[in-house]
Amino acid sequence: MFAIKKTSFIILLNIVSICFVEAQNSYSLDFDGLADYVEIIDESAMIASSDQMTLSGWVYPRNTNTGWPDFDAYFGFRNETDADFYLLQLNDYKVEGRLRSGSGVFTIESAENSISPATWHHLALTYDGNNIILYIDGVEVGSTVASGQITNASVPLKIGSLDFQTWDFDLDGKADEVSLWNIALTQQQIQDHMYADLTGGQGLVGYWNFNEGSGNTANDASGNGNHGTIYSATWSTDVPFQGIYPGPVELVINEFMASNDTTIADTSGEFADWVEIYNPSDEAVDLAGMTFSNGDDASAIPTGFPNITTISAGGFIFVWFDKDPEEGPLHIDAKLSGSGESVMLFDTDGTTVIDSIVFGEQFTDVSMGRFPDSSDTWTLSVTPTPGASNVYTEVVLGCNDPDASNYNPNANVNDDSCVYPTILCALGDVYVSEAANSGDPEDYIEIYNAGNVECSLAGFQLDDSEDLNDFTFGNVILEPGAYWLGYEDSTDSFSSGLGSSGDIVVLADTAGNILTVTLEASVEVGGLQLSQSFDADGTGCYTMPTPGAVNDTCVTMNIVNAGTIPTQFTLYQNYPNPFNPVTTLRYEIPVNGFVNITVYDMLGRKVKTIINQTQNAGYRSVIWDAKNDFGKLVTAGIYLYQIQAGEYISTKKMVLLK
């Protein structure tokens, strides 16, 4: 039976053409961060009333400023009333793109550390009437919805500086090859123009390549006569490229699988994601030094293994996206997401895109490939061929599970449409397995499915009296061996509090059968409130709390009455785990002393101090509600919790789900 992940058939494909461009680039302009700039008068008039445009150029930031109002500006026009269009460096080595139109102000930022100091980067910002898109080094790094026409007709284009109210954002670095268009360039066009010596063309408003090498005039090489004046900036022979750029090698991403469950295993027996590369040229190509990326993580193919990393003319090779680079040169330190993302192959310069694809959600054990090989047509196939010419086998969606009521014998891929008869749970197979009555809001009730089939609690009733008017279950499905855990007053849970002096819990099925368990008075041992665990027949005993997990062993009454003290420091695994949004941290301290319990994220940053006080020896627990020290809910993910008590330190992981 196929495991299924829903798929989107919308595919965005970017293929870089093979080209040789004569690019004569001898000079750039150097800005010292102190009011150096180039000004092109009324340049925004050239794109006014347009609903498309592109602004691009090369920048070399030396020392980026870290905060407002000292950001480093690259190029753009701005007046804060009618029209803004600019690229602006922010702190943490981010890049901001901005559009102001008649419909509003639209801003996009790259991720932190998207650019590096003392390094040339190509920046481009496009607007197509529906979206603004930001590119760094020819790769899209983000987009946002935008609309409206560019309205202003009298704002100068400035390079190296941008005006804002009483402040000037000034560049400390270099700029080169700045161009302004009244059309939205595609990613392919941006990549083609990055190293080109532009000679005019459709949509090109102005092009300032700074190849003069002297004087205070920046000539417009587009032929449109939009020349600029240079203020204080100096000439530099350091340029982002020079001479002939050969273009990328001729390789294509030919097939991939982002959800490999049983199709093919690597030498270690693992079923990992994979990407196939096809070499349609008549010469062998070594992948060594080229970089693969999924948009978040990047990994270069190591050098020194030509017998492994070389693709023969007309040949195929595939790489494992498994985050296990230590397993060999064709194992990438990245993974693919079955829910959809991108695959990019960069040339050995680390910036030139050879080929890339953006894909949607994928089916397990179904590949997506070009058919025929290297064509522009992408298809799904249930006959994956990693390392060989693609074979197309039509994907027939449907329910392919014979046990389902809507079984389709012709379906070769399960589309998650299977319908199964609902089996109601039966008392005896499901029962109240644990409860706590220490008081609001920590009261909880746990129900366990001891049967061997999945069943529904729909219509079951739960109460602390035989009135059964507190809580009625919806279609809650319990798999065999699974637990339902409800805390008092939580969403989709019971509301009647359980009396700390003793109470009952009544569980009834839809046929009127009733199971009643009796809760004794709440008991505390060494500072820890005990729970009470039950068998299927309702026989119970005091236990250490384990909500949502296998019950602990019974605590004998002589221990309870003695109120024993632990013999050693212990930090237990939180329960439940994973959790949402509340979990309990249980620990034991054998001596009186100062106790600190703190939650950290995976980067080691403090999230929440839970305990920071002197405590008496005993069995203890504390609840974390997934909030930080500021009372804000934290995001889903993995967190660390650490206890320090005297010389005892212990740390464990926990998982928050949303």
Side-chain angles (χ1 to χ4, degrees):
M1 177 178 173
F2 287 91
I4 187 69
K5 294 180 179 178
K6 296 180 180 178
T7 188
S8 169
F9 291 94
I10 299 175
I11 302 169
L12 304 177
L13 177 64
N14 296 306
I15 305 172
V16 175
S17 59
I18 312 304
C19 58
F20 292 82
V21 181
E22 184 73 31
Q24 302 298 329
N25 185 28
S26 302
Y27 296 95
S28 65
L29 274 180
D30 195 318
F31 305 83
D32 64 4
L34 300 173
D36 295 0
Y37 61 93
V38 178
E39 184 175 67
I40 299 93
I41 300 298
D42 295 342
E43 189 59 25
S44 66
M46 304 299 293
I47 46 87
S49 300
S50 174
D51 59 359
Q52 293 192 35
M53 68 172 304
T54 299
L55 179 64
S56 69
W58 287 90
V59 295
Y60 180 102
R62 250 187 309 266
N63 297 302
T64 60
N65 292 307
T66 58
W68 172 266
D70 298 319
F71 298 142
D72 290 0
Y74 292 146
F75 24 80
F77 46 84
R78 176 172 195 172
N79 72 353
E80 293 297 315
T81 57
D82 297 311
D84 289 342
F85 201 86
Y86 63 74
L87 292 163
L88 175 72
Q89 182 176 311
L90 303 175
N91 58 310
D92 297 321
Y93 300 102
K94 297 183 291 186
V95 177
E96 177 191 80
R98 180 180 176 109
L99 164 70
R100 180 186 298 269
S101 73
S103 299
V105 179
F106 308 94
T107 304
I108 185 170
E109 291 184 9
S110 70
E112 294 182 4
N113 300 310
S114 299
I115 57 173
S116 303
T119 304
W120 283 104
H121 292 281
H122 186 270
L123 307 180
L125 182 66
T126 68
Y127 173 53
D128 64 2
N130 297 301
N131 297 276
I132 55 173
I133 304 176
L134 177 62
Y135 300 88
I136 299 179
D137 297 325
V139 178
E140 179 182 335
V141 297
S143 65
T144 190
V145 174
S147 61
Q149 292 183 331
I150 300 166
T151 58
N152 187 269
S154 61
V155 181
L157 174 71
K158 298 185 78 173
I159 301 170
S161 180
L162 285 174
D163 303 327
F164 175 69
Q165 297 178 359
T166 60
W167 295 280
D168 292 329
F169 302 147
D170 296 316
L171 171 64
D172 182 6
K174 304 166 191 173
D176 201 7
E177 301 288 317
V178 178
S179 62
L180 178 67
W181 309 69
N182 60 17
I183 60 173
L185 298 181
T186 66
Q187 182 176 27
Q188 178 65 63
Q189 291 171 321
I190 290 170
Q191 294 168 354
D192 290 344
H193 294 159
M194 284 173 58
Y195 302 94
D197 188 11
L198 305 178
T199 57
Q202 182 182 3
L204 183 61
V205 172
Y207 172 44
W208 303 272
N209 56 20
F210 304 142
N211 285 343
E212 295 83 0
S214 62
N216 61 358
T217 298
N219 293 313
D220 177 13
S222 73
N224 293 323
N226 296 308
H227 308 303
T229 302
I230 302 172
Y231 295 91
S232 300
T234 57
W235 296 99
S236 172
T237 56
D238 180 21
V239 294
F241 63 91
Q242 202 169 29
I244 297 177
Y245 174 68
V249 297
E250 189 175 1
L251 296 173
V252 295
I253 298 171
N254 200 55
E255 188 181 12
F256 69 91
M257 180 175 286
S259 182
N260 177 21
D261 190 43
T262 61
T263 298
I264 184 173
D266 63 14
T267 55
S268 63
E270 297 178 343
F271 292 87
D273 311 330
W274 51 266
V275 174
E276 176 192 84
I277 305 300
Y278 172 50
N279 176 14
S281 73
D282 56 3
E283 295 183 1
V285 177
D286 191 351
L287 292 179
M290 298 183 186
T291 299
F292 286 87
S293 174
N294 61 5
D296 295 317
D297 300 316
S299 179
I301 299 294
T303 59
F305 305 91
N307 293 336
I308 299 174
T309 60
T310 297
I311 312 176
S312 61
F316 305 83
I317 201 171
F318 69 96
V319 296
W320 297 100
F321 276 61
D322 56 3
K323 277 191 159 303
D324 292 321
E326 69 279 359
E327 294 189 4
L330 295 180
H331 290 256
I332 302 300
D333 193 18
K335 289 187 176 182
L336 300 181
S337 172
S339 59
E341 59 182 358
S342 63
V343 179
M344 292 176 284
L345 174 61
F346 295 87
D347 211 341
T348 54
D349 62 3
T351 60
T352 303
V353 180
I354 297 175
D355 197 7
S356 66
I357 179 175
V358 180
F359 58 90
E361 294 187 56
Q362 299 291 294
F363 294 104
T364 299
D365 289 321
V366 176
S367 70
M368 178 170 281
R370 302 178 187 269
F371 188 80
D373 297 322
S374 77
S375 72
D376 293 343
T377 302
W378 285 83
T379 62
L380 295 172
S381 178
V382 294
T383 311
T385 57
S389 183
N390 290 344
V391 175
Y392 172 61
T393 302
E394 182 182 5
V395 171
V396 181
L397 302 178
C399 176
N400 63 0
D401 186 355
D403 294 331
S405 58
N406 60 334
Y407 169 60
N408 179 2
N410 296 318
N412 55 21
V413 175
N414 196 327
D415 64 355
D416 206 23
S417 65
C418 294
V419 177
Y420 301 93
T422 300
I423 301 175
L424 288 176
C425 297
L427 281 179
D429 289 336
V430 298
Y431 57 89
V432 177
S433 55
E434 189 177 353
N437 60 331
S438 58
D440 302 343
E442 299 178 3
D443 290 354
Y444 66 82
I445 298 172
E446 175 192 271
I447 296 175
Y448 174 60
N449 180 11
N452 55 12
V453 297
E454 178 184 275
C455 64
S456 172
L457 289 172
F460 272 61
Q461 294 175 287
L462 186 66
D463 203 346
D464 66 344
S465 76
E466 294 181 353
D467 295 338
L468 294 173
N469 58 8
D470 183 1
F471 178 66
T472 300
F473 286 89
N475 189 30
V476 176
I477 304 297
L478 278 184
E479 296 181 356
Y483 299 87
W484 175 87
L485 180 64
Y487 282 87
E488 181 188 353
D489 291 329
S490 298
T491 303
D492 297 325
S493 186
F494 68 98
S495 59
S496 297
L498 301 177
S500 59
S501 60
D503 211 334
I504 61 173
V505 176
V506 183
L507 179 66
D509 63 17
T510 57
N513 301 307
I514 293 177
L515 171 67
T516 301
V517 300
T518 300
L519 291 171
E520 304 295 337
S522 175
V523 171
E524 180 180 301
V525 175
L528 175 65
Q529 293 286 345
L530 299 181
S531 66
Q532 296 175 58
S533 296
F534 302 92
D535 297 330
D537 60 1
T539 302
C541 65
Y542 291 104
T543 59
M544 294 295 178
T546 59
V550 177
N551 292 343
D552 208 345
T553 57
C554 293
V555 178
T556 60
M557 287 306 300
N558 63 327
I559 294 178
V560 172
N561 294 333
T564 58
I565 301 298
T567 60
Q568 62 182 11
F569 289 101
T570 305
L571 177 65
Y572 292 96
Q573 188 64 53
N574 66 299
Y575 57 87
N577 189 42
F579 67 98
N580 178 20
V582 175
T583 190
T584 299
L585 313 180
R586 185 160 63 91
Y587 58 102
E588 299 175 1
I589 50 177
V591 296
N592 300 345
F594 195 82
V595 178
N596 178 275
I597 298 178
T598 301
V599 178
Y600 300 91
D601 63 17
M602 291 301 292
L603 297 178
R605 298 173 297 195
K606 188 181 75 167
V607 174
K608 174 71 174 182
T609 300
I610 299 179
I611 297 291
N612 194 44
Q613 64 184 43
T614 299
Q615 292 189 327
N616 295 328
Y619 303 88
R620 299 192 171 273
S621 68
V622 64
I623 291 177
W624 184 44
D625 59 1
K627 294 180 180 179
N628 60 22
D629 281 330
F630 303 100
K632 303 292 186 180
L633 286 171
V634 301
T635 59
I638 300 175
Y639 292 86
L640 305 175
Y641 61 100
Q642 183 182 81
I643 184 173
Q644 296 186 41
E647 297 182 355
Y648 176 74
I649 300 177
S650 181
T651 305
K652 295 183 180 296
K653 292 182 180 180
M654 56 183 170
V655 180
L656 171 63
L657 302 178
K658 291 292 180 72

